[in-house]
Amino acid sequence: MSTTHETATAIRPFRAEFSEDQIGDLRRRIAATRWPSKELVDERSQGVQLTATKALARYWLDEYDFGRIEARLNELPQFVTEIDGVDIHFIHVTSSHENALPLIMTHGWPGSVVELIDSVGALTDPTAHGGSAEEAFHLVLPSLPGYGFSGEPVEIGWDLSRTARAWAEVMRRLGYTRYVAQGGDVGAGVTDAMGRQAPEGLVGIHTNLLVPALSGAMPTDTDDERAAAAQIATFGRSGNGYFVEMATRPQTIGYALLDSPIALAAWMVDHDTDAYYKIARAFVDGRPSGNLTRDHILDNITLYWLSGTGASAARSYWEAYGPDAPAADRQPLPPPTIPFAFTTFPGEIWRTPRSWVEASYPNVIYFNEVDKGGHFAAWEEPELFSDEVRAAFKSLR
Protein backbone atom coordinates (compact mmCIF):
# COMPACT_ATOMS: atom_id res chain seq x y z
CA MET A 1 0.00 0.00 0.00
CA SER A 2 1.42 3.41 -0.97
CA THR A 3 1.85 6.05 1.69
CA THR A 4 0.64 9.62 1.23
CA HIS A 5 4.26 10.75 0.75
CA GLU A 6 4.90 8.14 -1.92
CA THR A 7 1.75 9.22 -3.76
CA ALA A 8 2.72 12.90 -3.61
CA THR A 9 6.24 12.29 -4.90
CA ALA A 10 5.26 9.82 -7.62
CA ILE A 11 6.11 10.50 -11.24
CA ARG A 12 2.87 10.27 -13.21
CA PRO A 13 2.43 10.00 -17.00
CA PHE A 14 0.83 13.02 -18.65
CA ARG A 15 -0.87 13.84 -21.96
CA ALA A 16 -1.87 17.24 -23.28
CA GLU A 17 -5.58 17.57 -23.95
CA PHE A 18 -7.54 20.61 -25.13
CA SER A 19 -11.29 20.56 -25.68
CA GLU A 20 -13.23 21.77 -28.71
CA ASP A 21 -14.91 24.31 -26.44
CA GLN A 22 -11.51 25.78 -25.53
CA ILE A 23 -10.53 26.02 -29.21
CA GLY A 24 -13.89 27.52 -30.15
CA ASP A 25 -13.63 30.16 -27.44
CA LEU A 26 -10.11 31.07 -28.58
CA ARG A 27 -11.24 31.44 -32.20
CA ARG A 28 -14.18 33.66 -31.20
CA ARG A 29 -11.95 35.90 -29.13
CA ILE A 30 -9.43 36.32 -31.95
CA ALA A 31 -12.24 37.25 -34.37
CA ALA A 32 -13.73 39.74 -31.89
CA THR A 33 -10.50 41.66 -31.28
CA ARG A 34 -10.95 45.39 -30.80
CA TRP A 35 -7.97 46.87 -32.63
CA PRO A 36 -6.04 50.03 -31.74
CA SER A 37 -5.16 52.58 -34.41
CA LYS A 38 -1.85 52.25 -36.21
CA GLU A 39 1.32 53.35 -34.43
CA LEU A 40 2.66 56.75 -35.40
CA VAL A 41 6.22 55.65 -36.23
CA ASP A 42 7.70 53.36 -38.87
CA GLU A 43 9.54 51.06 -36.44
CA ARG A 44 8.89 49.28 -33.14
CA SER A 45 9.63 52.12 -30.70
CA GLN A 46 5.91 52.42 -29.85
CA GLY A 47 5.53 48.65 -29.53
CA VAL A 48 4.32 45.74 -31.62
CA GLN A 49 3.24 47.10 -34.98
CA LEU A 50 -0.37 46.83 -36.13
CA THR A 51 0.49 45.29 -39.51
CA ALA A 52 2.44 42.47 -37.88
CA THR A 53 -0.23 41.83 -35.24
CA LYS A 54 -3.06 41.72 -37.78
CA ALA A 55 -1.03 39.34 -39.97
CA LEU A 56 -0.51 37.09 -36.94
CA ALA A 57 -4.23 37.20 -36.13
CA ARG A 58 -5.25 36.36 -39.70
CA TYR A 59 -2.93 33.37 -39.86
CA TRP A 60 -3.94 32.18 -36.38
CA LEU A 61 -7.63 32.32 -37.23
CA ASP A 62 -7.64 31.18 -40.86
CA GLU A 63 -4.65 28.88 -41.40
CA TYR A 64 -3.20 27.64 -38.13
CA ASP A 65 -3.98 24.06 -37.12
CA PHE A 66 -5.20 24.33 -33.52
CA GLY A 67 -4.51 20.63 -32.95
CA ARG A 68 -0.79 21.00 -33.69
CA ILE A 69 0.46 21.82 -30.24
CA GLU A 70 -1.40 18.97 -28.56
CA ALA A 71 -0.10 16.51 -31.16
CA ARG A 72 3.49 17.76 -31.02
CA LEU A 73 3.65 17.50 -27.24
CA ASN A 74 1.99 14.10 -27.15
CA GLU A 75 4.61 12.69 -29.51
CA LEU A 76 7.02 12.96 -26.59
CA PRO A 77 6.94 11.20 -23.19
CA GLN A 78 5.51 13.66 -20.65
CA PHE A 79 5.23 13.37 -16.89
CA VAL A 80 4.13 15.29 -13.80
CA THR A 81 5.46 15.11 -10.24
CA GLU A 82 4.48 17.18 -7.22
CA ILE A 83 7.20 19.22 -5.50
CA ASP A 84 6.44 21.59 -2.61
CA GLY A 85 2.75 21.45 -3.45
CA VAL A 86 3.20 22.32 -7.14
CA ASP A 87 2.81 19.86 -9.99
CA ILE A 88 5.91 20.04 -12.16
CA HIS A 89 5.39 19.00 -15.78
CA PHE A 90 8.34 17.72 -17.77
CA ILE A 91 9.26 15.93 -20.96
CA HIS A 92 11.68 13.03 -20.43
CA VAL A 93 13.29 11.42 -23.47
CA THR A 94 15.86 8.72 -22.84
CA SER A 95 18.55 8.02 -25.42
CA SER A 96 19.06 4.59 -26.91
CA HIS A 97 22.81 5.19 -26.82
CA GLU A 98 24.79 3.60 -24.03
CA ASN A 99 26.31 5.94 -21.43
CA ALA A 100 24.22 8.93 -22.50
CA LEU A 101 24.70 11.89 -20.15
CA PRO A 102 21.53 13.14 -18.38
CA LEU A 103 20.76 16.79 -19.17
CA ILE A 104 18.06 19.02 -17.66
CA MET A 105 17.33 21.96 -19.96
CA THR A 106 15.19 24.95 -18.95
CA HIS A 107 13.20 27.32 -21.17
CA GLY A 108 12.56 31.01 -20.53
CA TRP A 109 9.87 33.67 -21.10
CA PRO A 110 8.01 34.14 -23.39
CA GLY A 111 9.00 30.61 -24.22
CA SER A 112 7.99 27.18 -22.98
CA VAL A 113 9.05 23.61 -23.62
CA VAL A 114 7.89 24.35 -27.19
CA GLU A 115 11.09 26.35 -27.83
CA LEU A 116 13.21 23.31 -26.91
CA ILE A 117 11.47 20.29 -28.44
CA ASP A 118 13.05 20.64 -31.88
CA SER A 119 16.42 19.99 -30.22
CA VAL A 120 15.27 16.67 -28.74
CA GLY A 121 16.31 14.51 -31.68
CA ALA A 122 19.78 15.98 -32.10
CA LEU A 123 20.51 15.72 -28.38
CA THR A 124 19.14 12.24 -27.70
CA ASP A 125 20.09 10.66 -31.03
CA PRO A 126 23.12 12.61 -32.29
CA THR A 127 24.10 9.90 -34.81
CA ALA A 128 21.04 10.86 -36.85
CA HIS A 129 22.15 14.51 -36.83
CA GLY A 130 25.82 14.39 -37.73
CA GLY A 131 27.13 13.61 -34.24
CA SER A 132 28.50 10.54 -32.52
CA ALA A 133 26.90 8.13 -30.06
CA GLU A 134 29.28 9.35 -27.34
CA GLU A 135 27.58 12.79 -27.47
CA ALA A 136 24.08 11.56 -26.56
CA PHE A 137 21.96 12.84 -23.70
CA HIS A 138 19.03 11.59 -21.67
CA LEU A 139 16.93 14.75 -21.87
CA VAL A 140 14.66 16.31 -19.22
CA LEU A 141 12.67 19.42 -20.24
CA PRO A 142 10.65 20.81 -17.31
CA SER A 143 8.00 23.52 -17.53
CA LEU A 144 8.73 26.34 -15.10
CA PRO A 145 6.21 26.66 -12.23
CA GLY A 146 3.22 28.62 -13.53
CA TYR A 147 4.09 27.92 -17.19
CA GLY A 148 2.43 25.46 -19.55
CA PHE A 149 1.25 22.34 -17.75
CA SER A 150 3.15 22.94 -14.52
CA GLY A 151 0.91 24.03 -11.66
CA GLU A 152 0.56 27.65 -10.55
CA PRO A 153 2.22 28.37 -7.20
CA VAL A 154 -0.40 29.38 -4.63
CA GLU A 155 2.11 31.05 -2.31
CA ILE A 156 5.00 33.42 -2.83
CA GLY A 157 8.58 32.18 -2.76
CA TRP A 158 8.94 30.29 -6.04
CA ASP A 159 12.02 32.21 -7.11
CA LEU A 160 14.94 31.01 -9.21
CA SER A 161 16.62 29.30 -6.25
CA ARG A 162 13.52 27.35 -5.26
CA THR A 163 12.97 26.27 -8.83
CA ALA A 164 16.62 25.18 -9.01
CA ARG A 165 16.12 23.01 -5.92
CA ALA A 166 13.00 21.54 -7.50
CA TRP A 167 14.96 20.64 -10.64
CA ALA A 168 17.56 18.83 -8.54
CA GLU A 169 14.70 16.91 -6.93
CA VAL A 170 13.28 15.98 -10.35
CA MET A 171 16.65 14.54 -11.36
CA ARG A 172 16.92 12.67 -8.05
CA ARG A 173 13.45 11.14 -8.51
CA LEU A 174 14.43 10.05 -12.03
CA GLY A 175 17.41 8.22 -10.54
CA TYR A 176 20.12 10.35 -12.15
CA THR A 177 23.22 10.52 -9.96
CA ARG A 178 25.40 12.42 -12.43
CA TYR A 179 23.99 15.07 -14.77
CA VAL A 180 24.44 18.49 -16.39
CA ALA A 181 22.13 21.51 -16.85
CA GLN A 182 21.50 24.11 -19.58
CA GLY A 183 19.35 27.24 -19.70
CA GLY A 184 18.63 30.47 -21.53
CA ASP A 185 16.64 33.55 -20.44
CA VAL A 186 14.80 32.66 -17.18
CA GLY A 187 16.23 29.18 -17.65
CA ALA A 188 19.72 30.65 -17.46
CA GLY A 189 18.81 32.09 -14.06
CA VAL A 190 17.59 28.71 -12.85
CA THR A 191 20.68 26.97 -14.22
CA ASP A 192 22.99 29.56 -12.65
CA ALA A 193 21.23 28.99 -9.31
CA MET A 194 21.66 25.24 -9.67
CA GLY A 195 25.38 25.74 -10.22
CA ARG A 196 25.68 27.92 -7.11
CA GLN A 197 23.71 25.44 -5.01
CA ALA A 198 25.83 22.56 -6.39
CA PRO A 199 23.34 19.76 -5.66
CA GLU A 200 24.75 16.27 -5.47
CA GLY A 201 25.17 14.87 -8.98
CA LEU A 202 25.37 18.14 -10.92
CA VAL A 203 28.75 18.16 -12.68
CA GLY A 204 28.51 21.13 -15.06
CA ILE A 205 26.27 23.89 -16.45
CA HIS A 206 25.93 25.73 -19.78
CA THR A 207 23.99 28.93 -20.44
CA ASN A 208 23.47 31.24 -23.41
CA LEU A 209 22.62 34.34 -21.38
CA LEU A 210 25.12 35.70 -18.84
CA VAL A 211 23.09 36.05 -15.65
CA PRO A 212 25.62 38.10 -13.62
CA ALA A 213 25.52 40.88 -16.25
CA LEU A 214 21.86 41.52 -15.32
CA SER A 215 22.59 42.37 -11.71
CA GLY A 216 25.88 44.25 -11.56
CA ALA A 217 28.38 46.38 -13.43
CA MET A 218 30.75 44.49 -15.68
CA PRO A 219 34.24 45.55 -16.88
CA THR A 220 34.36 48.06 -19.75
CA ASP A 221 38.09 48.03 -20.51
CA THR A 222 37.96 46.68 -24.07
CA ASP A 223 35.98 47.56 -27.19
CA ASP A 224 33.98 44.32 -26.91
CA GLU A 225 33.15 45.02 -23.27
CA ARG A 226 32.08 48.59 -24.02
CA ALA A 227 29.90 47.38 -26.91
CA ALA A 228 28.18 44.82 -24.68
CA ALA A 229 27.64 47.40 -21.92
CA ALA A 230 26.12 49.79 -24.48
CA GLN A 231 23.71 47.08 -25.66
CA ILE A 232 22.59 46.41 -22.09
CA ALA A 233 22.14 50.15 -21.51
CA THR A 234 19.98 50.42 -24.64
CA PHE A 235 17.86 47.51 -23.46
CA GLY A 236 17.46 49.21 -20.07
CA ARG A 237 16.37 52.50 -21.65
CA SER A 238 13.97 51.33 -24.32
CA GLY A 239 13.67 47.55 -24.51
CA ASN A 240 12.72 46.24 -21.10
CA GLY A 241 9.14 47.45 -20.66
CA TYR A 242 7.86 43.88 -20.37
CA PHE A 243 10.55 43.14 -17.77
CA VAL A 244 9.65 46.12 -15.56
CA GLU A 245 5.91 45.46 -15.78
CA MET A 246 6.15 41.78 -14.89
CA ALA A 247 8.76 42.34 -12.16
CA THR A 248 6.62 45.02 -10.47
CA ARG A 249 2.96 44.60 -11.55
CA PRO A 250 2.42 41.11 -13.03
CA GLN A 251 -1.18 40.94 -11.84
CA THR A 252 -2.07 44.10 -13.73
CA ILE A 253 -0.90 42.82 -17.12
CA GLY A 254 -2.33 39.41 -16.25
CA TYR A 255 -5.91 40.59 -16.80
CA ALA A 256 -5.23 41.39 -20.45
CA LEU A 257 -3.19 38.20 -20.95
CA LEU A 258 -6.07 36.01 -19.76
CA ASP A 259 -8.83 37.97 -21.49
CA SER A 260 -7.52 38.67 -24.98
CA PRO A 261 -5.49 36.23 -27.09
CA ILE A 262 -4.23 39.09 -29.26
CA ALA A 263 -3.08 41.01 -26.17
CA LEU A 264 -1.26 37.84 -25.11
CA ALA A 265 0.32 37.40 -28.54
CA ALA A 266 1.46 41.02 -28.76
CA TRP A 267 2.89 40.90 -25.24
CA MET A 268 4.85 37.74 -26.03
CA VAL A 269 6.12 38.95 -29.41
CA ASP A 270 7.41 42.22 -27.92
CA HIS A 271 10.53 40.76 -26.26
CA ASP A 272 13.72 41.95 -27.94
CA THR A 273 14.41 43.83 -31.16
CA ASP A 274 16.14 41.00 -33.03
CA ALA A 275 13.46 38.41 -32.24
CA TYR A 276 10.62 40.86 -32.86
CA TYR A 277 11.67 41.72 -36.40
CA LYS A 278 12.33 38.06 -37.22
CA ILE A 279 8.84 37.11 -36.00
CA ALA A 280 7.22 40.07 -37.77
CA ARG A 281 8.90 39.10 -41.07
CA ALA A 282 7.60 35.55 -40.67
CA PHE A 283 3.98 36.77 -40.49
CA VAL A 284 4.07 39.85 -42.74
CA ASP A 285 6.39 38.60 -45.48
CA GLY A 286 6.32 34.82 -44.98
CA ARG A 287 10.10 34.85 -44.38
CA PRO A 288 10.93 32.97 -41.18
CA SER A 289 14.35 33.02 -39.58
CA GLY A 290 15.38 29.42 -39.23
CA ASN A 291 12.83 27.58 -37.12
CA LEU A 292 11.00 30.75 -36.01
CA THR A 293 8.11 29.91 -38.34
CA ARG A 294 4.53 31.14 -38.06
CA ASP A 295 3.33 27.73 -36.90
CA HIS A 296 6.05 27.30 -34.30
CA ILE A 297 5.47 30.79 -32.90
CA LEU A 298 1.74 30.15 -32.66
CA ASP A 299 2.30 26.73 -31.05
CA ASN A 300 3.92 28.57 -28.17
CA ILE A 301 1.32 31.34 -27.92
CA THR A 302 -1.52 28.83 -28.19
CA LEU A 303 -0.05 26.78 -25.34
CA TYR A 304 0.03 29.88 -23.12
CA TRP A 305 -3.58 30.71 -23.99
CA LEU A 306 -5.06 27.23 -23.62
CA SER A 307 -3.19 26.55 -20.38
CA GLY A 308 -4.26 29.96 -19.02
CA THR A 309 -0.78 30.77 -17.75
CA GLY A 310 -0.14 34.32 -18.94
CA ALA A 311 -0.51 35.84 -15.45
CA SER A 312 1.24 33.09 -13.51
CA ALA A 313 4.20 33.17 -15.91
CA ALA A 314 4.40 36.95 -15.47
CA ARG A 315 4.55 36.48 -11.68
CA SER A 316 7.76 34.48 -12.09
CA TYR A 317 9.48 37.79 -12.98
CA TRP A 318 8.15 39.37 -9.77
CA GLU A 319 9.55 36.40 -7.83
CA ALA A 320 12.94 36.47 -9.56
CA TYR A 321 13.54 40.19 -10.08
CA GLY A 322 10.87 42.17 -8.23
CA PRO A 323 11.98 44.63 -5.55
CA ASP A 324 9.09 43.53 -3.31
CA ALA A 325 9.63 39.78 -3.63
CA PRO A 326 11.19 37.69 -0.82
CA ALA A 327 14.24 37.01 -2.98
CA ALA A 328 15.06 40.73 -3.27
CA ASP A 329 16.71 40.85 0.15
CA ARG A 330 18.82 37.73 -0.28
CA GLN A 331 22.50 37.87 -1.07
CA PRO A 332 23.44 35.63 -4.03
CA LEU A 333 25.44 32.53 -3.33
CA PRO A 334 29.10 32.58 -4.41
CA PRO A 335 29.86 31.81 -8.07
CA PRO A 336 29.70 28.10 -8.86
CA THR A 337 32.96 26.21 -8.78
CA ILE A 338 31.69 23.40 -10.97
CA PRO A 339 32.57 23.55 -14.69
CA PHE A 340 30.81 26.34 -16.59
CA ALA A 341 30.26 26.61 -20.35
CA PHE A 342 28.85 29.48 -22.39
CA THR A 343 27.75 30.18 -25.96
CA THR A 344 27.03 33.69 -27.21
CA PHE A 345 24.63 34.14 -30.13
CA PRO A 346 24.84 37.29 -32.29
CA GLY A 347 21.16 38.25 -32.01
CA GLU A 348 21.05 38.08 -28.20
CA ILE A 349 20.10 41.21 -26.24
CA TRP A 350 23.82 41.75 -25.76
CA ARG A 351 26.82 39.96 -27.19
CA THR A 352 28.77 38.64 -24.22
CA PRO A 353 32.56 38.91 -24.39
CA ARG A 354 34.65 36.04 -23.06
CA SER A 355 36.26 38.33 -20.48
CA TRP A 356 32.85 38.83 -18.80
CA VAL A 357 32.31 35.08 -18.62
CA GLU A 358 35.70 34.50 -17.05
CA ALA A 359 35.16 37.37 -14.60
CA SER A 360 31.85 35.82 -13.51
CA TYR A 361 32.69 32.12 -13.25
CA PRO A 362 35.95 30.68 -11.90
CA ASN A 363 35.89 27.41 -13.86
CA VAL A 364 35.13 28.13 -17.52
CA ILE A 365 35.61 25.00 -19.60
CA TYR A 366 34.02 26.19 -22.86
CA PHE A 367 33.28 29.48 -24.61
CA ASN A 368 32.13 29.92 -28.17
CA GLU A 369 30.77 32.78 -30.26
CA VAL A 370 28.62 31.52 -33.12
CA ASP A 371 27.57 33.40 -36.25
CA LYS A 372 23.77 33.07 -36.27
CA GLY A 373 20.85 32.80 -33.90
CA GLY A 374 19.38 35.09 -31.27
CA HIS A 375 17.64 35.10 -27.92
CA PHE A 376 15.58 32.02 -28.79
CA ALA A 377 18.62 30.09 -29.92
CA ALA A 378 17.27 26.55 -29.39
CA TRP A 379 14.09 27.48 -31.23
CA GLU A 380 15.56 29.44 -34.13
CA GLU A 381 18.62 27.25 -34.79
CA PRO A 382 17.98 23.85 -33.14
CA GLU A 383 20.79 22.00 -34.94
CA LEU A 384 23.40 24.68 -34.19
CA PHE A 385 22.16 24.96 -30.63
CA SER A 386 22.40 21.18 -30.17
CA ASP A 387 25.95 21.22 -31.56
CA GLU A 388 26.85 23.83 -28.94
CA VAL A 389 25.35 21.88 -26.06
CA ARG A 390 27.16 18.71 -27.13
CA ALA A 391 30.47 20.60 -27.45
CA ALA A 392 29.98 22.39 -24.13
CA PHE A 393 29.78 19.17 -22.14
CA LYS A 394 32.21 17.08 -24.18
CA SER A 395 34.96 17.24 -21.57
CA LEU A 396 32.59 16.04 -18.84
CA ARG A 397 31.79 12.73 -20.47
Side-chain angles (χ1 to χ4, degrees), residues 291-340:
N291 220 32
L292 281 177
T293 67
R294 294 178 294 186
D295 285 331
H296 285 154
I297 294 159
L298 286 174
D299 285 345
N300 186 54
I301 297 171
T302 302
L303 175 60
Y304 268 75
W305 178 265
L306 294 177
S307 62
T309 51
S312 55
R315 290 187 203 116
S316 72
Y317 271 64
W318 184 90
E319 290 282 9
Y321 311 109
D324 300 315
D329 296 327
R330 291 195 205 119
Q331 292 300 312
L333 293 172
T337 58
I338 64 173
F340 178 79

Side-chain angles (χ1 to χ4, degrees), residues 107-362:
H107 67 84
W109 185 93
S112 64
V113 291
V114 170
E115 70 178 281
L116 302 176
I117 58 180
D118 287 305
S119 300
V120 169
L123 292 172
T124 59
D125 186 16
T127 56
H129 296 264
S132 64
E134 293 75 24
E135 298 175 312
F137 294 94
H138 299 310
L139 195 57
V140 180
L141 307 178
S143 296
L144 290 163
Y147 289 67
F149 295 113
S150 281
E152 290 190 18
V154 296
E155 61 181 5
I156 62 173
W158 273 94
D159 57 10
L160 299 173
S161 294
R162 189 170 180 180
T163 303
R165 291 192 295 272
W167 277 198
E169 177 63 12
V170 168
M171 298 305 274
R172 188 193 69 78
R173 292 183 189 181
L174 289 171
Y176 291 133
T177 58
R178 186 177 187 275
Y179 63 94
V180 293
Q182 139 68 31
D185 193 78
V186 176
V190 174
T191 303
D192 174 84
M194 290 183 74
R196 293 170 191 269
Q197 293 167 1
E200 185 177 358
L202 181 64
V203 298
I205 62 174
H206 172 262
T207 72
N208 48 281
L209 185 139
L210 192 71
V211 174
L214 289 171
S215 56
M218 304 298 288
T220 54
D221 299 322
T222 69
D223 288 344
D224 286 346
E225 290 173 346
R226 285 188 287 272
Q231 288 177 314
I232 293 176
T234 297
F235 175 70
R237 285 193 306 270
S238 61
N240 69 341
Y242 74 92
F243 189 107
V244 173
E245 179 72 14
M246 295 198 297
T248 59
R249 294 294 186 271
Q251 190 70 15
T252 303
I253 190 61
Y255 297 107
L257 304 183
L258 269 291
D259 187 64
S260 166
I262 296 304
L264 174 70
W267 188 250
M268 293 172 68
V269 167
D270 193 14
H271 183 271
D272 66 277
T273 299
D274 177 76
Y276 168 73
Y277 282 121
K278 288 172 178 175
I279 292 170
R281 282 196 299 270
F283 284 101
V284 175
D285 303 325
R287 294 190 292 119
S289 176
N291 220 32
L292 281 177
T293 67
R294 294 178 294 186
D295 285 331
H296 285 154
I297 294 159
L298 286 174
D299 285 345
N300 186 54
I301 297 171
T302 302
L303 175 60
Y304 268 75
W305 178 265
L306 294 177
S307 62
T309 51
S312 55
R315 290 187 203 116
S316 72
Y317 271 64
W318 184 90
E319 290 282 9
Y321 311 109
D324 300 315
D329 296 327
R330 291 195 205 119
Q331 292 300 312
L333 293 172
T337 58
I338 64 173
F340 178 79
F342 188 83
T343 301
T344 181
F345 290 85
E348 185 52 274
I349 297 171
W350 71 89
R351 196 159 187 161
T352 299
R354 180 170 190 142
S355 58
W356 280 11
V357 176
E358 292 176 340
S360 303
Y361 296 93

